[in-house]
Amino acid sequence: MNARPNGWQSATSRLILIYGALFAVWGFILVGVIQWETTRYLNGVIDQMLLQRMHYIASTDPARMPATVDAASAIDPHGIMSVGLFDRDHRPVAGNIDRLPTSLVQDGQVHMLEHGLPRPDRDAERVRARGLANKLPNGDILVISKDTSTIDGLGAIIRRALLWGISLTIIPGLLGGFLLRRGPRKRIRALQEATDPIRQGDLSKRLPVSRRGDELDQLAAIVNTMLGEIERLMSEVKGVCDNIAHDLRTPLTRLRARLYRTQQQLEGRPEEALLEASMVDIDAVLTRFRALLRVSELEDRNRAACFDEVDIGQVLRQVHEFYAPVAEDRGQPFELDVQPLAPIRADAHLLFEALANLVGNAIKFTPPGGKVSLRASMDKRGPRVDIIDSGPGIPADERDAVTRRFYRGDNSRTTAGSGLGLSIVSAIVRLHGYALDIGQATTGARLTLYCYPVAPGEKPGTCLTRAVPEVTPLTV
Amino acid sequence: MPRVLVIEDDEATAREIVAELTVHGMLAEWVANGREGFDRASQRDYDLITLDRMLPGMDGIDVVAAMRRAQIDTPVLMISALSDVDDRVRGLRAGGDDYLTKPFAPDEMAARAEVLLRRRQPQSAQRLRAADLELDLVSHLAYRNGQPLTLLPTEYRLLEFLMRNSDQVLTRAMIFETVWGFHFDPGTNVIDVHIGRLRRKIDSAGQLALIHTVRGTGYMLTAAHDTLPVTS
C-alpha cells in the first residue's frame, strides 16, 4: 500500500474540488436564470412596442397607409424598428423591409424571425429580430419588426460577466485551496514520518500533537495512548521472558560449576558420564538463555554506536574462512563468489554474527554431500548477499515464522540448536535497517540479505514481498 | 604465588571468585568498594585485578581509568552483569584487558585470569616451544620435530594462541574472541572443527599428542600429560 497520498487523494483537495465544482455549477445556474429572466422581460417590452406600433399604423386610413409606413421607417434610418407594407402578391408597397419574411405567420402575434432581417446601416447584414405580420382588410400585409441585437448584446454582457465572475472566483479559490491544503498536508506528512520508526518496531516513538486540539490532534492523541499501552504490554511480556532467562542463568551457572567440580573429583568413576550428560543439558539451556538475552540486547539497542564504513566482501571472506572446515568435514562444497561491492555503513561484528548464523544454518540443514554457496553482488540500490544451499529449503508457509523466537520448523525439529539463530539475524538486520528475504532456490533454500536501507513502506528485518531477481541455481 | 585483588561488591560472587582463584594457586584479596579498590591497587603491587563494573564509591570504569592514569599497568579482568557490546567496548577502552559477563563459569574466569597473568610475564619475541613443536614468530612458520608444518593463516593464529598459553586451559569463547576477534556465541561446533584440523596437522600418528580437550571447558596445549584434568 502506498502510504503517501498524492495531491488528488488528499481529503482537503477533494473537498476543495467538490466545493469548487458545486460553486461553478451554482454560478452558471444563477447567471443563466438572470439572463433568461432579463431576456424574457426585454422581449416582452419589445413585443408590447411592436403591438402598439402595429395597432397605430393598422388603424390609419388605408389610402394614407403607404405614406404613414414610409414616414415611420424614415424616422429610423438604422432599421432598428423596420416597417413594411406588401400587396396581396407580397410585392413591397412602402417601408424599409424589401421582402416579406416567408416564415412569419400573418396572425397579428409577435414571433422570432427565422432568418432575421437585413440592417441597412450594416451593409444589409442580417440580425436577429422579432416581428409580426397582419393582413389588412384590403388584402395588403403590414409587417413590423424590431432588431433584438441589443438584447443579445445584453445576454453576451451577462455571459461575459458570468465567465469573468467564475474565473475570478475559481482561480483565487483554487489558489486559496492549495494554500489551505498545505497546512493539513504538512501535518499529515509529519504524522507519516513519525509512524515510520513505529512501523519498524520502535514503540517508544509517538505521533506529534500540536496545541490546536483539532481532529488530527485528537486522533494522534488516541493513537499515542494506544501506542503507550502496546509498549507497556510488550515490555511486560518481554521483561518477563528476559527476567526468567536472566534470573535462571545465575543458579544454572552455579549448578554447572558444582557439577564440574564434582566431575573433576569423580574422574574415572561410572558417575562421571552421568555428570557430563547433565552438564551438556545445562549448557544447552544456558546457550538458549544466552541467545534469548542476545536477541533482547539487540532489540533494545537503539543507536548505531559501532557503525562504520565496512567492506562487506572482507566480512564474507572471514565468514567463509570460519565455516569452510565445517563444510569440508560434512563433504559439502562451499562456494564463495564475491563481486566488486560498494562499502556499506554497518557494525562489522554484528554483520559477521548475522552472516555466520545464516551460513551455519545452511551447512547444518544441508545433508552431507550437498552444496552451499555464499554470493555477493550489487543490485540497483546496493550490495546483496545470497546464501544458497541444496538442503530441504524452508516451506513458504514457515518463512515468516522462522524469525520468531523459539520457532522450530518441521525440518529443524531433529537438529541441534536454540531456535533463536534467525531471531538474532532478524534483530541485527532490523538494527541496520536492512531487509532479509527468505525464499526458495532451484535446489533448496535461498536467503538474501539486502545490505542497504529498506525503501519507505518496507519493513526492516524480514521482507517477503520484494520481487527477487532469480539467482543462478547451484549445480549439485 | 600470584597476588590477585578482587574488587567486587556482591559477597557471594566475591567468595566464588576468591575460591576459584585459590584453587588455581593464586593469593586473592577482596575489597567491596571501588574507591578502596583503587587505593589498594595504588598502594600494593598485584599481578592481576578482577574488577566489577557497578561498584559503590567509584564505578569500575572510573577505577580502571584512574589506575591507567596513575601508570598502574596491572592486568585488569573486568567482570560485569552488563553484557552489551557497547559496555564491553567501554570497559576495554577505559583500560581493561579482558571482559567477562556475569553469570560466569568459575573455570572460565580462572582461565582468563591465568592468560592475563601469563601475558604479564616477559616472553621471547622470536620463538615459542612446546616439546618438539616450535613456532617461529618472525617467519610465521611452525615445525614439529624439526619438520616444517603447512598451516593456513587461521591455523597459525590458533596455534600461536595455544602455544603462548601452553599448559593453560583455554575456553572456546576465549579462543573465538582472541583468534577471530568476535564476542558472540557461534552456537555450533565450529571451534572444535578448527581445533580438530590443527590437531591433525600437529599431532600426526606416532607423535606425542600436544593438543588436548579439557572436558566441559575447552582445550589445552601441553606436553605434560599428568597436568591434565581429563583428556581425550
Side-chain angles (χ1 to χ4, degrees):
Chain A
M1 189 193 101
N2 180 16
R4 304 259 189 275
N6 61 36
W8 304 116
Q9 285 176 310
S10 155
T12 317
S13 304
R14 281 207 304 267
L15 276 174
I16 286 167
L17 279 174
I18 291 165
Y19 269 109
L22 283 173
F23 187 83
V25 169
W26 174 244
F28 276 115
I29 290 168
L30 181 69
V31 177
V33 166
I34 290 168
Q35 187 188 349
W36 183 75
E37 283 289 338
T38 308
T39 308
R40 198 170 64 91
Y41 171 76
L42 291 174
N43 281 338
V45 170
I46 287 169
D47 292 356
Q48 281 298 114
M49 284 170 63
L50 288 169
L51 286 166
Q52 283 175 2
R53 181 68 58 98
M54 175 60 79
H55 180 73
Y56 167 72
I57 296 172
S59 62
T60 58
D61 178 11
R64 292 175 51 84
M65 182 75 71
T68 307
V69 169
D70 280 333
S73 55
I75 59 169
D76 186 9
H78 301 294
I80 292 169
M81 178 78 88
S82 305
V83 186
L85 185 64
F86 301 87
D87 63 14
R88 64 184 63 229
D89 297 322
H90 298 181
R91 285 190 299 265
V93 175
N96 56 358
I97 299 175
D98 297 339
R99 193 179 297 164
L100 180 71
T102 50
S103 61
L104 188 60
V105 184
Q106 296 156 23
D107 59 355
Q109 296 299 313
V110 181
H111 299 282
M112 201 74 201
L113 295 185
E114 197 175 320
H115 303 294
L117 275 178
R119 278 277 295 266
D121 62 330
R122 296 188 193 173
D123 299 329
E125 179 202 342
R126 284 189 171 272
V127 294
R128 279 160 46 85
R130 294 179 72 77
L132 74 164
N134 208 351
K135 208 163 188 173
L136 299 174
N138 63 0
D140 287 352
I141 301 162
L142 179 62
V143 177
I144 304 173
S145 77
K146 186 168 187 334
D147 173 0
T148 60
S149 59
T150 311
I151 299 171
D152 294 340
L154 190 65
I157 289 166
I158 292 170
R159 278 197 300 277
R160 273 198 302 275
L162 164 74
L163 288 172
W164 276 107
I166 286 175
S167 301
L168 291 172
T169 308
I170 285 178
I171 291 167
L174 286 172
L175 195 68
F178 174 75
L179 293 171
L180 277 173
R181 197 185 67 180
R182 274 176 61 189
R185 281 193 76 192
K186 204 171 164 184
R187 290 177 66 197
I188 292 287
R189 203 170 293 121
L191 286 169
Q192 284 170 334
E193 281 166 8
T195 61
D196 281 345
I198 298 166
R199 282 184 300 145
Q200 289 171 11
D202 185 355
L203 292 174
S204 66
K205 293 282 185 288
R206 293 292 178 269
L207 302 183
V209 180
S210 74
R211 279 180 294 185
R212 290 188 192 87
D214 59 12
E215 296 87 340
L216 271 180
D217 288 328
Q218 288 168 21
L219 192 62
I222 290 167
V223 172
N224 284 344
T225 309
M226 283 166 55
L227 281 170
E229 190 59 19
I230 292 166
E231 185 186 22
R232 188 184 64 78
L233 291 169
M234 291 281 286
S235 173
E236 273 181 17
V237 170
K238 196 168 147 296
V240 166
C241 203
D242 291 352
N243 288 340
I244 290 169
H246 190 272
D247 292 352
L248 288 181
R249 273 174 74 204
T250 303
L252 279 170
T253 306
R254 287 190 176 143
L255 175 61
R256 189 196 182 281
R258 287 195 199 101
L259 287 172
Y260 177 72
R261 287 200 194 98
T262 312
Q263 185 206 30
Q264 304 291 347
Q265 291 158 9
L266 296 174
E267 194 184 331
R269 289 170 61 178
E271 294 88 347
E272 191 193 358
L274 182 66
L275 287 171
E276 193 171 340
S278 304
M279 280 171 64
V280 167
D281 286 342
I282 289 176
D283 282 341
V285 175
L286 283 168
T287 298
R288 287 189 185 203
F289 283 160
R290 265 199 304 274
L292 186 63
L293 291 167
R294 179 79 179 131
V295 174
S296 296
E297 183 187 289
L298 289 165
E299 285 175 347
D300 290 343
R301 287 179 77 184
N302 52 7
R303 60 212 159 82
C306 300
F307 275 40
D308 205 347
E309 198 170 84
V310 171
D311 174 3
I312 190 166
Q314 179 58 28
V315 175
L316 289 167
R317 281 185 281 275
Q318 284 178 302
V319 172
H320 183 265
E321 178 274 328
F322 188 54
Y323 274 100
V326 183
E328 195 179 315
D329 278 10
R330 291 172 61 84
Q332 298 166 335
F334 181 22
E335 173 199 69
L336 175 69
D337 177 8
V338 180
Q339 304 292 322
L341 301 169
I344 56 169
R345 245 199 106 61
D347 181 321
H349 284 240
L350 292 181
L351 205 59
F352 181 96
E353 186 175 352
L355 289 164
N357 256 302
L358 294 175
V359 169
N361 277 348
I363 290 169
K364 188 166 63 176
F365 291 111
T366 300
K371 190 171 181 181
V372 178
S373 178
L374 179 58
R375 300 175 187 173
S377 56
M378 289 293 288
D379 72 13
K380 285 177 189 171
R381 289 173 54 202
R384 63 177 273 183
V385 178
D386 291 291
I387 296 103
I388 307 150
D389 63 54
S390 60
I394 301 170
D397 57 344
E398 286 184 15
R399 286 172 196 167
D400 200 18
V402 287
T403 57
R404 290 186 212 143
R405 297 181 188 196
F406 296 120
Y407 182 85
R408 305 299 299 269
D410 288 339
N411 293 330
S412 65
R413 291 198 198 285
T414 54
T415 314
S418 66
L420 287 158
L422 281 176
S423 302
I424 290 173
V425 172
S426 182
I428 292 171
V429 172
R430 251 199 316 277
L431 186 70
H432 283 78
Y434 294 168
L436 174 72
D437 183 75
I438 301 169
Q440 188 75 18
T442 317
T443 51
R446 176 197 48 76
L447 281 89
T448 302
L449 176 61
Y450 298 94
C451 300
Y452 47 80
V454 293
E458 282 184 337
K459 192 180 172 189
T462 52
C463 155
L464 304 166
T465 53
R466 189 180 292 182
V468 182
E470 199 45 65
V471 290
T472 315
L474 292 178
T475 48
V476 184
Chain B
M1 189 180 272
R3 289 160 57 88
V4 183
L5 176 63
V6 177
I7 309 174
E8 169 63 60
D9 62 329
D10 178 58
E11 192 177 340
T13 307
R15 281 186 198 286
E16 212 171 275
I17 294 170
V18 169
E20 190 65 25
L21 294 177
T22 307
V23 166
H24 282 77
M26 298 176 216
L27 188 66
E29 294 175 25
W30 169 45
V31 293
N33 178 290
R35 171 69 55 193
E36 196 184 336
F38 174 69
D39 293 342
R40 191 80 69 90
S42 310
Q43 291 156 11
R44 297 185 198 173
D45 187 26
Y46 291 97
D47 298 298
L48 175 72
I49 294 171
T50 71
L51 176 65
D52 187 22
R53 267 291 310 269
M54 297 193 303
L55 290 163
M58 196 174 177
D59 181 79
I61 293 278
D62 297 333
V63 171
V64 72
M67 278 172 52
R68 298 306 181 227
R69 278 197 303 275
Q71 307 296 313
I72 301 165
D73 63 349
T74 311
V76 171
L77 170 60
M78 302 202 74
I79 300 174
S80 171
L82 303 171
S83 62
D84 190 87
V85 174
D86 291 351
D87 293 305
R88 178 189 293 273
V89 168
R90 263 199 299 278
L92 297 177
R93 276 188 188 157
D97 296 279
D98 197 1
Y99 196 100
L100 183 62
T101 305
K102 287 180 185 176
F104 53 86
D107 49 329
E108 168 107 23
M109 185 272 302
R112 285 176 187 268
E114 285 179 327
V115 165
L116 289 178
L117 285 170
R118 179 77 62 95
R119 203 185 290 177
R120 212 181 183 198
Q121 294 160 9
Q123 292 179 349
S124 157
Q126 294 291 317
R127 278 186 173 238
L128 298 175
R129 279 190 187 81
D132 57 351
L133 176 66
E134 283 186 73
L135 196 68
D136 189 319
L137 298 173
V138 179
S139 64
H140 283 212
L141 290 172
Y143 301 89
R144 183 83 205 254
N145 199 18
Q147 296 300 308
L149 301 169
T150 310
L151 298 180
L152 294 170
T154 307
E155 289 165 348
Y156 174 85
R157 290 200 307 275
L158 187 52
L159 182 60
E160 185 186 348
F161 181 56
L162 290 169
M163 288 186 76
R164 279 192 187 281
N165 298 284
S166 58
D167 304 323
Q168 166 63 51
V169 177
L170 301 170
T171 66
R172 288 171 182 82
M174 289 164 75
I175 292 168
F176 185 50
E177 285 169 21
T178 307
V179 178
W180 281 274
F182 294 103
H183 298 267
F184 68 91
D185 183 359
T188 59
N189 63 338
V190 192
I191 305 299
D192 299 337
V193 171
H194 279 275
I195 291 279
R197 286 165 70 93
L198 180 65
R199 193 183 253 155
R200 283 196 290 275
K201 288 185 179 183
I202 302 294
D203 300 335
S204 47
Q207 289 181 309
L208 173 73
L210 295 175
I211 299 175
H212 301 270
T213 305
V214 181
R215 272 193 214 149
T217 305
Y219 295 96
M220 182 193 287
L221 188 142
T222 183
H225 288 250
D226 55 345
T227 62
L228 290 177
V230 182
T231 61
S232 62

XYZ file of all heavy atoms in Angstrom, chain A residues 392-454:
472
model
N 16.779 -29.045 2.265
C 15.331 -29.204 2.043
C 14.602 -27.883 1.809
O 13.468 -27.862 1.357
C 14.855 -29.874 3.342
C 15.871 -29.469 4.366
C 17.168 -29.351 3.638
N 15.242 -26.751 2.127
C 14.592 -25.444 1.956
C 13.648 -25.141 3.100
O 13.410 -25.976 3.984
N 13.113 -23.926 3.083
C 12.156 -23.514 4.124
C 10.788 -23.397 3.456
O 10.630 -22.602 2.523
C 12.562 -22.165 4.772
C 13.967 -22.276 5.396
C 11.543 -21.738 5.822
C 14.563 -20.956 5.839
N 9.793 -24.189 3.888
C 8.472 -24.119 3.246
C 7.916 -22.695 3.273
O 8.148 -21.943 4.233
C 7.608 -25.055 4.098
C 8.581 -25.960 4.778
C 9.829 -25.156 4.975
N 7.183 -22.341 2.230
C 6.671 -20.963 2.077
C 5.850 -20.526 3.283
O 5.937 -19.374 3.716
C 5.846 -20.868 0.809
N 5.070 -21.447 3.865
C 4.198 -21.051 4.981
C 4.965 -20.917 6.304
O 4.392 -20.543 7.318
C 3.032 -22.037 5.135
C 3.497 -23.472 5.341
O 4.690 -23.739 5.064
O 2.708 -24.311 5.759
N 6.264 -21.254 6.297
C 7.060 -21.126 7.527
C 8.023 -19.949 7.465
O 8.670 -19.617 8.455
C 7.883 -22.408 7.764
C 7.046 -23.576 8.252
C 7.916 -24.794 8.558
O 9.150 -24.653 8.665
O 7.350 -25.889 8.701
N 8.136 -19.319 6.283
C 9.202 -18.323 6.090
C 9.045 -17.099 6.982
O 10.023 -16.480 7.355
C 9.260 -17.900 4.619
C 9.872 -18.989 3.777
C 9.775 -18.692 2.314
N 10.012 -19.919 1.561
C 9.773 -20.061 0.286
N 9.266 -19.065 -0.414
N 10.011 -21.196 -0.330
N 7.802 -16.746 7.285
C 7.582 -15.584 8.146
C 7.818 -15.952 9.609
O 8.220 -15.125 10.412
C 6.148 -15.068 7.948
C 6.016 -13.635 8.415
O 7.063 -12.966 8.548
O 4.888 -13.185 8.649
N 7.571 -17.225 9.938
C 7.622 -17.661 11.335
C 9.033 -17.985 11.807
O 9.317 -17.922 13.002
C 6.723 -18.879 11.521
N 9.923 -18.337 10.873
C 11.245 -18.821 11.302
C 12.076 -17.761 12.022
O 13.031 -18.107 12.721
C 12.070 -19.400 10.116
C 11.533 -20.736 9.682
C 12.149 -18.418 8.972
N 11.725 -16.477 11.858
C 12.494 -15.441 12.554
C 11.939 -15.170 13.949
O 12.493 -14.356 14.682
C 12.497 -14.122 11.753
O 11.153 -13.727 11.531
C 13.214 -14.273 10.420
N 10.803 -15.848 14.292
C 10.252 -15.663 15.642
C 11.056 -16.479 16.646
O 11.599 -17.531 16.316
C 8.791 -16.130 15.683
C 7.868 -15.222 14.921
C 6.435 -15.677 15.126
N 5.647 -15.401 13.937
C 4.691 -16.192 13.490
N 4.398 -17.311 14.116
N 4.018 -15.869 12.408
N 11.040 -15.995 17.880
C 11.796 -16.680 18.926
C 11.295 -18.105 19.116
O 10.095 -18.332 19.194
C 11.650 -15.939 20.257
C 12.218 -14.538 20.202
C 12.048 -13.885 21.553
N 12.419 -12.479 21.481
C 12.666 -11.738 22.546
N 12.582 -12.248 23.735
N 12.991 -10.484 22.420
N 12.233 -19.020 19.206
C 11.985 -20.432 19.528
C 11.194 -21.194 18.478
O 10.783 -22.312 18.709
C 11.285 -20.592 20.892
C 12.108 -20.121 22.046
C 11.652 -19.110 22.872
C 13.354 -20.658 22.290
C 12.429 -18.654 23.929
C 14.132 -20.210 23.345
C 13.664 -19.214 24.167
N 10.934 -20.575 17.304
C 10.192 -21.313 16.285
C 11.088 -22.396 15.692
O 12.204 -22.129 15.295
C 9.698 -20.378 15.173
C 8.884 -21.126 14.130
C 7.534 -21.352 14.315
C 9.503 -21.630 12.983
C 6.803 -22.062 13.377
C 8.779 -22.341 12.044
C 7.430 -22.554 12.244
O 6.705 -23.259 11.316
N 10.602 -23.601 15.656
C 11.356 -24.694 15.030
C 10.499 -25.242 13.901
O 9.399 -25.743 14.131
C 11.658 -25.832 16.027
C 12.377 -25.410 17.286
C 13.744 -24.792 17.024
N 14.686 -25.666 16.362
C 15.548 -26.471 16.998
N 15.574 -26.498 18.302
N 16.394 -27.213 16.330
N 11.002 -25.126 12.686
C 10.280 -25.661 11.532
C 10.325 -27.177 11.531
O 11.076 -27.803 12.284
N 9.494 -27.764 10.654
C 9.445 -29.236 10.581
C 10.804 -29.835 10.271
O 11.160 -30.897 10.767
C 8.430 -29.658 9.496
C 6.999 -29.385 9.970
O 6.812 -29.278 11.193
O 6.108 -29.257 9.117
N 11.574 -29.123 9.415
C 12.874 -29.659 9.008
C 13.939 -29.500 10.081
O 15.026 -30.053 9.958
C 13.369 -28.943 7.735
C 12.485 -29.278 6.555
O 11.916 -30.356 6.504
N 12.378 -28.354 5.615
N 13.665 -28.705 11.142
C 14.722 -28.415 12.122
C 14.452 -29.032 13.490
O 15.235 -28.858 14.403
C 14.873 -26.898 12.276
O 13.703 -26.356 12.831
N 13.329 -29.761 13.607
C 12.985 -30.275 14.939
C 14.025 -31.266 15.463
O 14.249 -31.374 16.661
C 11.610 -30.949 14.900
C 10.513 -29.944 14.678
C 9.145 -30.454 15.053
N 8.108 -29.631 14.423
C 7.776 -28.435 14.825
N 8.383 -27.895 15.850
N 6.833 -27.759 14.201
N 14.640 -32.000 14.539
C 15.589 -33.023 14.982
C 17.032 -32.516 14.936
O 17.958 -33.269 15.169
C 15.467 -34.270 14.079
O 15.631 -33.843 12.717
C 14.109 -34.946 14.244
N 17.204 -31.227 14.615
C 18.552 -30.656 14.507
C 18.873 -29.854 15.757
O 18.001 -29.160 16.285
C 18.643 -29.728 13.275
O 18.038 -30.391 12.169
C 20.077 -29.389 12.943
N 20.132 -29.959 16.191
C 20.548 -29.212 17.388
C 20.477 -27.715 17.120
O 20.724 -27.258 16.012
C 21.972 -29.599 17.749
N 20.124 -26.982 18.151
C 20.074 -25.521 18.003
C 19.092 -24.917 18.980
O 18.254 -25.619 19.551
N 19.222 -23.609 19.170
C 18.390 -22.933 20.170
C 17.045 -22.511 19.609
O 16.122 -22.192 20.340
C 19.121 -21.698 20.688
O 19.259 -20.745 19.649
N 16.910 -22.498 18.280
C 15.692 -21.967 17.674
C 15.668 -20.458 17.696
O 14.632 -19.847 17.474
N 16.825 -19.846 17.986
C 16.887 -18.385 18.085
C 17.855 -17.759 17.085
O 18.007 -16.546 17.058
C 17.300 -17.991 19.509
C 16.213 -18.187 20.562
C 16.819 -18.297 21.937
C 15.206 -17.052 20.522
N 18.516 -18.604 16.301
C 19.522 -18.092 15.358
C 18.950 -17.063 14.408
O 19.508 -15.973 14.253
N 17.818 -17.377 13.769
C 17.223 -16.440 12.813
C 16.586 -15.237 13.517
O 16.444 -14.184 12.913
C 16.208 -17.157 11.914
C 16.821 -17.966 10.761
C 15.745 -18.716 9.990
C 17.620 -17.085 9.810
N 16.208 -15.411 14.795
C 15.714 -14.255 15.564
C 16.847 -13.266 15.765
O 16.653 -12.042 15.677
C 15.189 -14.695 16.934
O 14.170 -15.634 16.785
N 18.044 -13.776 16.047
C 19.226 -12.916 16.207
C 19.534 -12.225 14.884
O 19.774 -11.014 14.839
C 20.436 -13.744 16.713
C 20.210 -14.170 18.171
C 21.745 -12.962 16.574
C 21.232 -15.124 18.730
N 19.493 -13.009 13.794
C 19.747 -12.440 12.455
C 18.751 -11.323 12.171
O 19.116 -10.220 11.760
C 19.657 -13.533 11.361
C 19.724 -12.914 9.973
C 20.779 -14.547 11.535
N 17.472 -11.615 12.428
C 16.415 -10.636 12.156
C 16.628 -9.365 12.972
O 16.455 -8.248 12.462
C 15.061 -11.255 12.482
O 14.040 -10.355 12.180
N 17.031 -9.527 14.241
C 17.258 -8.353 15.104
C 18.431 -7.519 14.574
O 18.369 -6.287 14.569
C 17.523 -8.808 16.535
N 19.490 -8.192 14.136
C 20.663 -7.474 13.593
C 20.281 -6.751 12.299
O 20.660 -5.593 12.085
C 21.844 -8.449 13.357
C 22.374 -8.952 14.705
C 22.958 -7.783 12.548
C 23.390 -10.077 14.614
N 19.526 -7.449 11.447
C 19.104 -6.852 10.169
C 18.219 -5.635 10.443
O 18.366 -4.589 9.818
C 18.370 -7.909 9.302
C 17.754 -7.275 8.064
C 19.328 -9.006 8.888
N 17.311 -5.760 11.418
C 16.429 -4.635 11.792
C 17.242 -3.464 12.317
O 16.979 -2.311 11.990
C 15.443 -5.077 12.859
C 14.009 -5.197 12.356
C 12.984 -5.188 13.468
N 13.349 -6.012 14.596
C 13.151 -7.313 14.658
N 12.621 -7.959 13.641
N 13.492 -8.002 15.727
N 18.236 -3.771 13.149
C 19.092 -2.728 13.734
C 19.794 -1.926 12.638
O 19.998 -0.723 12.768
C 20.128 -3.380 14.653
C 21.026 -2.459 15.458
C 20.234 -1.750 16.546
C 22.162 -3.231 16.103
N 20.140 -2.605 11.535
C 20.808 -1.930 10.415
C 19.806 -1.276 9.468
O 20.209 -0.495 8.603
C 21.653 -2.940 9.627
C 22.947 -3.290 10.291
N 23.024 -4.164 11.351
C 24.219 -2.864 10.064
C 24.286 -4.276 11.730
N 25.027 -3.495 10.981
N 18.520 -1.619 9.608
C 17.516 -1.091 8.675
C 17.564 -1.805 7.334
O 17.090 -1.285 6.327
N 18.156 -3.002 7.313
C 18.263 -3.779 6.083
C 17.035 -4.693 5.934
O 16.139 -4.687 6.785
C 19.518 -4.667 6.105
C 20.836 -3.928 6.107
C 22.025 -4.605 6.376
C 20.913 -2.564 5.831
C 23.254 -3.952 6.382
C 22.138 -1.905 5.837
C 23.299 -2.604 6.124
O 24.495 -1.953 6.128
N 17.027 -5.490 4.875
C 15.927 -6.444 4.666
C 16.512 -7.831 4.436
O 17.582 -7.987 3.853
C 15.085 -6.029 3.472
N 15.786 -8.815 4.937
C 16.177 -10.215 4.737
C 15.040 -10.898 4.005
O 13.894 -10.805 4.432
C 16.416 -10.888 6.100
C 16.699 -12.390 6.067
C 18.088 -12.659 5.518
C 16.579 -12.974 7.463
N 15.354 -11.564 2.917
C 14.318 -12.260 2.159
C 14.587 -13.755 2.222
O 15.699 -14.204 1.935
C 14.325 -11.790 0.701
C 13.212 -12.453 -0.088
O 12.054 -12.039 0.095
O 13.503 -13.399 -0.842
N 13.567 -14.489 2.661
C 13.706 -15.945 2.745
C 12.933 -16.527 1.577
O 11.723 -16.302 1.463
C 13.158 -16.472 4.093
C 13.932 -15.809 5.243
C 13.274 -17.983 4.158
C 13.333 -16.042 6.605
N 13.633 -17.241 0.716
C 12.968 -17.763 -0.482
C 13.429 -19.164 -0.805
O 14.001 -19.872 0.022
N 13.164 -19.525 -2.021
C 13.450 -20.875 -2.479
C 14.378 -20.795 -3.679
O 14.118 -20.034 -4.609
C 12.137 -21.570 -2.873
C 12.267 -23.041 -3.178
C 12.440 -23.896 -1.919
O 12.145 -23.441 -0.820
N 12.961 -25.102 -2.084
N 15.461 -21.521 -3.619
C 16.315 -21.651 -4.804
C 15.864 -22.894 -5.548
O 15.040 -23.664 -5.046
C 17.772 -21.776 -4.371
N 16.384 -23.089 -6.731
C 16.000 -24.269 -7.518
C 16.345 -25.537 -6.744
O 15.626 -26.528 -6.800
C 16.761 -24.258 -8.861
O 16.729 -22.926 -9.371
C 16.155 -25.212 -9.858
N 17.442 -25.451 -5.984
C 17.940 -26.665 -5.332
C 17.556 -26.777 -3.857
O 17.567 -27.852 -3.298
C 19.476 -26.665 -5.422
O 19.939 -25.399 -4.931
C 19.942 -26.847 -6.852
N 17.256 -25.674 -3.172
C 16.983 -25.722 -1.729
C 16.565 -24.353 -1.223
O 15.714 -23.709 -1.809
N 17.208 -23.919 -0.144
C 16.841 -22.613 0.433
C 17.686 -21.505 -0.179
O 18.812 -21.722 -0.604
C 17.042 -22.645 1.941
N 17.102 -20.306 -0.232
C 17.843 -19.115 -0.638
C 17.494 -18.012 0.342
O 16.324 -17.654 0.496
C 17.460 -18.662 -2.045
C 18.168 -17.351 -2.440
C 17.519 -16.672 -3.619
N 16.063 -16.545 -3.507
C 15.440 -15.671 -2.740
N 16.123 -14.838 -1.986
N 14.120 -15.627 -2.708
N 18.505 -17.529 1.054
C 18.300 -16.388 1.945
C 19.091 -15.216 1.392
O 20.275 -15.353 1.083
C 18.742 -16.709 3.372
C 17.696 -17.541 4.144
C 17.925 -19.012 3.942
C 17.700 -17.198 5.601
N 18.412 -14.099 1.217
C 19.066 -12.923 0.638
C 19.062 -11.802 1.661
O 18.016 -11.459 2.202
C 18.332 -12.471 -0.641
O 18.317 -13.556 -1.561
C 19.022 -11.276 -1.280
N 20.245 -11.265 1.898
C 20.385 -10.111 2.790
C 20.679 -8.890 1.926
O 21.685 -8.856 1.217
C 21.523 -10.346 3.791
C 21.861 -9.187 4.726
C 20.671 -8.821 5.596
C 23.051 -9.528 5.609
N 19.753 -7.927 1.958
C 19.955 -6.684 1.207
C 20.667 -5.702 2.129
O 20.078 -5.251 3.127
C 18.603 -6.102 0.763
C 17.849 -7.027 -0.163
C 16.904 -7.909 0.324
C 18.114 -7.016 -1.528
C 16.225 -8.762 -0.521
C 17.430 -7.865 -2.375
C 16.492 -8.734 -1.867
O 15.818 -9.574 -2.710
N 21.911 -5.378 1.799
C 22.725 -4.546 2.703
C 22.565 -3.065 2.396
O 23.550 -2.366 2.128
C 24.178 -4.963 2.625
S 24.406 -6.662 3.091
N 21.342 -2.600 2.416
C 21.074 -1.164 2.252
C 19.721 -0.890 2.888
O 18.904 -1.800 3.047
C 21.102 -0.743 0.775
C 20.318 -1.628 -0.153
C 18.936 -1.507 -0.276
C 20.966 -2.592 -0.918
C 18.226 -2.315 -1.125
C 20.252 -3.405 -1.776
C 18.883 -3.260 -1.889
O 18.178 -4.061 -2.739
N 19.469 0.370 3.286
C 18.214 0.671 3.982
C 17.000 0.315 3.136
O 17.020 0.487 1.915
C 18.294 2.185 4.219
C 19.752 2.501 4.148
C 20.349 1.539 3.173
N 15.976 -0.187 3.803
C 14.753 -0.574 3.099
C 14.069 0.661 2.520
O 14.264 1.786 2.982
C 13.756 -1.301 4.033
C 14.290 -2.633 4.479
C 13.378 -0.431 5.217
